[in-house]
Amino acid sequence: MSPNPTPERPIPPVARLLFLSRWLQLPLYLGLIVALGVYVVHFWLELFDLVRAAAGSQAALQHLLEGQAAGRAAMEGPPPTRLGETTIMLVALSLIDVVMIANLLIMVIIGGYETFVSRTYLEQHPDHPEWLSHVNASVLKVKLAMAIIGISSIHLLRTFINADAYSVKALVAQTAIHVTFLVSALAVAWTDRIMTRTIHMSEEHESADH
């Protein structure tokens, strides 16, 4: 005769309250969705200005120059009358920057909700992200660090393309900040690797004991 199943222990009220407090993060993720919408609007407005400037609109060109580092340098002399290659490149990098920040927001919204709030139950969805199937707090930190490095690289590239508009001190400072992000990401990845290896060794040791 099989033994009776062990009855489930009731969750203490304090523990239940602490566990329910995770839902306080939900408004934060909803706020990030609003921020993502703002980035979408900004992306299309800047792209619209780029298309209008390419078609010869001086107002759109002036608006693009004012929004770029090239604009601050160009405003000291006579305003350009046509869209230059450098301005196109800077605007394109700005659009890429918006996309990468949007990717970062999606990663934080979906991964953070899945990790810290509740399950999303998207395993059977045809558009289920591959990275979400093995996401946890450690993986999320590494992915966020890599995304920040990518965003910092875009900003640094924009600065170097238009280096004449910056002082040497600003160039050195941005380079140092980017290197700091890179070292920090490597440290996070290395720490995660050590922790994962330690957990695997502990599990193998427990399996050998049994």
Side-chain angles (χ1 to χ4, degrees):
M1 186 175 180
S2 59
N4 295 328
T6 304
E8 295 183 0
R9 296 179 56 185
I11 302 177
V14 175
R16 187 185 298 273
L17 177 63
L18 293 175
F19 187 59
L20 288 175
S21 66
R22 73 193 191 278
W23 289 102
L24 291 175
Q25 299 182 70
L26 181 59
L28 305 180
Y29 293 113
L30 295 178
L32 289 180
I33 294 175
V34 175
L36 180 60
V38 173
Y39 266 104
V40 172
V41 174
H42 173 74
F43 178 93
W44 281 103
L45 289 177
E46 193 161 3
L47 182 61
F48 182 62
D49 281 338
L50 179 61
V51 174
R52 289 176 57 213
S57 173
Q58 291 298 313
L61 177 59
Q62 191 70 15
H63 189 261
L64 285 176
L65 291 175
E66 291 173 356
Q68 301 296 328
R72 293 194 293 270
M75 295 301 289
E76 297 176 357
T81 57
R82 65 182 184 86
L83 190 63
E85 181 181 357
T86 301
T87 304
I88 295 176
M89 190 179 304
L90 290 173
V91 174
L93 289 176
S94 297
L95 297 178
I96 294 174
D97 187 32
V98 171
V99 172
M100 296 188 69
I101 293 177
N103 292 338
L104 178 61
L105 287 173
I106 286 294
M107 199 177 303
V108 173
I109 293 170
I110 301 179
Y113 182 88
E114 174 86 13
T115 303
F116 302 108
V117 180
S118 180
R119 294 285 303 277
T120 54
Y121 300 103
L122 297 175
E123 290 81 3
Q124 305 302 322
H125 196 280
D127 295 330
H128 178 260
E130 185 274 335
W131 57 268
L132 190 59
S133 59
H134 53 270
V135 69
N136 53 47
S138 298
V139 173
L140 191 60
K141 284 191 298 184
V142 174
K143 288 185 176 296
L144 291 179
M146 298 305 296
I148 291 174
I149 289 177
I151 295 171
S152 176
S153 300
I154 295 297
H155 280 267
L156 193 60
L157 181 58
R158 289 175 57 190
T159 301
F160 285 163
I161 290 175
N162 196 42
D164 294 339
Y166 295 88
S167 64
V168 176
K169 183 178 179 180
L171 294 174
V172 173
Q174 289 199 27
T175 305
I177 292 173
H178 179 71
V179 172
T180 302
F181 284 152
L182 181 60
V183 173
S184 300
L186 291 175
V188 169
W190 181 254
T191 303
D192 179 68
R193 181 180 180 183
I194 294 176
M195 292 177 60
T196 303
R197 183 181 301 175
T198 303
I199 293 174
H200 287 168
M201 291 178 61
S202 177
E203 292 176 350
E204 291 177 358
H205 182 70
E206 291 179 359
S207 301
D209 291 341
H210 294 322

